[in-house]
Amino acid sequence: MCGRYVRRSDKQRIAEYFRTGETVFDLPPDYNVAPTTFQPAIRLSAETGERKIVMMRWGLVPSWHKDPKHLGVSAINAQAESLMEKPMWRRALQKRRCLVPADAFYEWQKLDAQNKQPYAFGMKSGEPFAFAGLWERWMAPDGKPLDSFAIITTDPNEVAARVHTRMPVIVEPRDYTRWLRMEDEERPPIDLLRPYDADAMKAWKVSPAVGNVRNNEPGLCDEWRLPPNSA
């Protein structure tokens, strides 16, 4: 599962790194991205075919759903192994794929029955990266569209497996174009949905404060050590 992540990069950094067009909206960093919030994602423009940044709700709402309020946050992730089997994901995989920019993601390691230690995972290089995402458009009764996305998860690599049984799919930069293009709807590039190279990643402990979504300061994803003289 991927239920929280970090986006240090602002809109200029995202546009430069992912080679997108310019955006007209502000995009400040977010150090504790939570489900149901609106976040930047990258998809191809239907008019130009070029990459563009759009704001979408994290937590996919299917086009056929009656009311997104009743969906909860269960649709924030989609398991790679069952994408072609479930109607919830199949059409989006074939027709509506996106990239979700990030600089790290959080997972919690269970220590005992009452305590968990949060960890952050990112690239050793410090560079941003992209989750493989799916998106949908839901039309409200008043005709207003709601675009939303889910992050695809897979088995963990050696780094993530020390903490959790799943990890988000991270797309290699060389595969961005292939993931976004819809050249063959019947044969989507599911071979890209694999654990990321563990040698390129690192993990570090972060403060338990990340567990509260109201906490969103720059130091939240810094390496954390237990304070001296603490029990």
Side-chain angles (χ1 to χ4, degrees):
M1 178 177 178
C2 176
R4 214 75 66 77
Y5 66 93
V6 181
R7 180 179 45 74
R8 292 192 190 95
S9 301
D10 59 15
K11 67 177 182 180
Q12 181 176 350
R13 174 63 167 152
I14 293 174
E16 291 175 352
Y17 190 83
F18 294 98
R19 300 178 184 178
T20 70
E22 295 183 359
T23 61
V24 297
F25 47 81
D26 290 330
L27 192 59
D30 193 334
Y31 302 95
N32 200 359
V33 177
T36 74
T37 60
F38 282 78
Q39 299 297 330
I42 298 166
R43 66 190 188 201
L44 297 184
S45 167
E47 293 78 24
T48 67
E50 300 297 318
R51 298 177 192 174
K52 67 176 183 178
I53 304 172
V54 295
M55 297 298 289
M56 295 196 280
R57 176 189 184 271
W58 184 17
L60 187 139
V61 180
S63 59
W64 43 263
H65 200 71
K66 291 183 179 181
D67 187 347
K69 294 180 181 179
H70 296 156
L71 196 63
V73 297
S74 61
I76 63 172
N77 292 156
Q79 292 191 351
E81 300 88 340
S82 59
L83 293 180
M84 292 298 290
E85 301 171 5
K86 297 183 178 181
M88 175 82 172
W89 311 117
R90 186 167 56 243
R91 292 304 293 164
L93 176 65
Q94 293 171 323
K95 300 177 69 69
R96 289 174 291 277
R97 299 190 292 271
C98 63
L99 297 169
V100 181
D103 292 271
F105 64 91
Y106 298 118
E107 290 292 1
W108 279 256
Q109 183 183 50
K110 186 174 181 179
L111 302 179
D112 53 46
Q114 297 181 334
N115 298 293
K116 294 181 179 180
Q117 172 62 55
Y119 282 77
F121 298 81
M123 298 297 154
K124 289 180 179 178
S125 66
E127 293 184 324
F129 54 88
F131 302 129
L134 305 174
W135 69 276
E136 282 281 9
R137 174 166 293 168
W138 178 82
M139 300 300 294
D142 61 3
K144 292 182 179 179
L146 171 66
D147 287 358
S148 60
F149 70 91
I151 293 171
I152 301 174
T153 66
T154 187
D155 293 329
N157 61 20
E158 292 87 345
V159 174
R162 301 168 190 164
V163 176
H164 205 271
T165 59
R166 304 286 296 177
M167 71 175 292
V169 172
I170 298 173
V171 182
E172 292 273 7
R174 65 174 180 268
D175 294 320
Y176 289 166
T177 297
R178 185 168 169 236
W179 177 251
L180 292 174
R181 283 182 180 172
M182 307 295 159
E183 296 178 343
D184 188 348
E185 293 181 8
E186 298 305 317
R187 299 181 64 184
I190 57 176
D191 59 292
L192 300 181
L193 305 180
R194 57 183 181 265
Y196 198 79
D197 180 11
D199 290 337
M201 295 184 66
K202 62 180 180 177
W204 62 98
K205 291 181 180 180
V206 294
S207 169
V210 73
N212 187 335
V213 297
R214 296 179 181 177
N215 296 326
N216 203 326
E217 60 273 5
L220 197 64
C221 55
D222 291 347
E223 186 172 1
W224 177 81
R225 290 182 173 86
L226 195 66
N229 303 320
S230 59

